[in-house]
């Protein structure tokens, strides 16, 4: 009877471990506090990908890409301490005028973190859901285009009818704009490595 009792008490633990092993835990740390987090969380819901569990965090207003990478490193260490490591860690940063982007690229590579860079900024990826133009744009021009297409309902908050279903169109434009897009690559204006995140969310990598 003692052996049977031990078997029953261990069953919940085995079930929890099995559930954890079923999912690929993905960490996404974003530079922006609102737009990137909202987009990734809602896109994950829309995709309904099986086998992927996504946690989206922000660097609490840090505009330095090195701080974003360090935030991911801290969360990686905390997850390992709980014996629940992330399958993949991703950081989303912009080129803008960051002086330490090269340092962030080196740090991310050293710690196995995928640094996905948008040039000039993340809004470019959002715009490519509805606009296939690949001409160079300033940050202000991107903001104007976002407003013209009604992609924000208020500052930094995506419109309720944002066309998430057009993510494949955005992927095609991004790969046409930069056929060599890759983690840690600072492409020309305009470019973004967000197609890599889409593949991760779909469980392709």
């Amino acid at each position: 009877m003692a052996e049977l009792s031990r078997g029953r008490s261990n069953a919940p633990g085995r079930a929890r471990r099995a559930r954890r092993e079923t999912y690929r835990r993905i960490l996404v740390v974003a530079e922006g506090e609102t737009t990137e987090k909202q987009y990734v969380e809602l896109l994950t819901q829309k995709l309904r990908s099986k086998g992927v569990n996504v946690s989206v965090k922000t660097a609490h207003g840090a505009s330095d890409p090195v701080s974003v990478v360090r935030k991911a490193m801290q969360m990686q260490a905390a997850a390992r301490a709980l014996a629940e490591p992330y399958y993949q860690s991703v950081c989303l940063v912009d080129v803008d005028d960051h002086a330490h982007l090269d340092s962030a690229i080196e740090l991310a590579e050293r710690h196995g973190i995928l640094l996905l860079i948008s040039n000039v900024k993340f809004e470019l990826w959002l715009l490519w859901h509805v606009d296939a133009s690949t001409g160079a744009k300033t940050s202000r021009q991107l903001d104007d285009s976002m407003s013209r297409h009604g992609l924000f309902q208020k500052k930094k908050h995506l419109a309720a009818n944002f066309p998430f279903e057009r993510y494949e169109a955005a992927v095609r434009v991004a790969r046409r704009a930069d056929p060599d897009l890759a983690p840690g690559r600072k492409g020309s204006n305009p470019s973004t490595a967000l197609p890599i995140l889409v593949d991760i969310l779909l469980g392709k990598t």
Side-chain angles (χ1 to χ4, degrees):
M1 290 299 294
E3 290 182 0
L4 290 175
S5 297
R6 284 198 297 271
R8 284 196 296 270
S9 64
N10 288 337
R14 287 198 299 269
R16 284 194 294 271
R17 286 194 297 272
R19 284 196 295 272
R20 285 201 299 267
E21 291 167 1
T22 299
Y23 290 95
R24 291 182 175 185
R25 298 182 67 240
I26 308 299
L27 171 65
V28 179
V29 180
E31 179 180 351
E33 291 189 37
T34 304
T35 310
E36 292 95 322
K37 187 176 190 296
Q38 185 183 19
Y39 176 85
V40 176
E41 288 178 341
L42 291 175
L43 179 64
T44 301
Q45 293 176 18
K46 300 289 184 181
L47 294 177
R48 296 182 179 179
S49 299
K50 295 181 179 180
V52 176
N53 189 327
V54 182
S55 177
V56 188
K57 306 295 181 181
T58 66
H60 299 294
S63 59
D64 181 353
V66 172
S67 297
V68 178
V69 175
R70 285 177 176 161
K71 172 73 172 182
M73 290 166 54
Q74 292 169 0
M75 297 200 67
Q76 280 184 328
R80 284 195 296 267
L82 295 173
E84 295 184 343
Y86 291 104
Y87 174 80
Q88 188 59 266
S89 298
V90 179
C91 288
L92 308 181
V93 300
D94 300 337
V95 169
D96 281 343
D97 296 318
H98 292 316
H100 304 294
L101 183 56
D102 289 341
S103 297
I105 293 171
E106 180 182 352
L107 186 63
E109 183 176 3
R110 192 160 68 241
H111 290 273
I113 296 169
L114 301 185
L115 188 68
L116 306 186
I117 303 170
S118 296
N119 190 357
V120 175
K121 59 184 181 179
F122 182 78
E123 281 76 3
L124 173 70
W125 168 253
L126 302 179
L127 181 63
W128 277 345
H129 285 64
V130 297
D131 186 338
S133 171
T134 56
K137 293 178 175 62
T138 65
S139 179
R140 177 61 182 272
Q141 287 172 330
L142 273 174
D143 291 341
D144 291 344
S145 294
M146 291 287 292
S147 296
R148 186 169 63 254
H149 287 282
L151 298 178
F152 281 147
Q153 62 182 4
K154 60 181 180 178
K155 186 177 181 181
K156 296 297 183 180
H157 290 266
L158 296 176
N161 63 344
F162 185 89
F164 290 96
E165 70 280 1
R166 290 190 53 78
Y167 72 90
E168 291 178 321
V171 167
R172 288 193 294 271
V173 180
R175 292 196 177 279
R176 175 161 55 87
D178 184 8
D180 298 320
L181 66 84
R185 172 175 164 79
K186 182 170 62 177
S188 59
N189 180 352
S191 64
T192 179
L194 263 294
I196 294 169
L197 178 60
V198 171
D199 285 345
I200 292 172
L201 296 181
L202 289 172
K204 293 182 177 180
T205 60

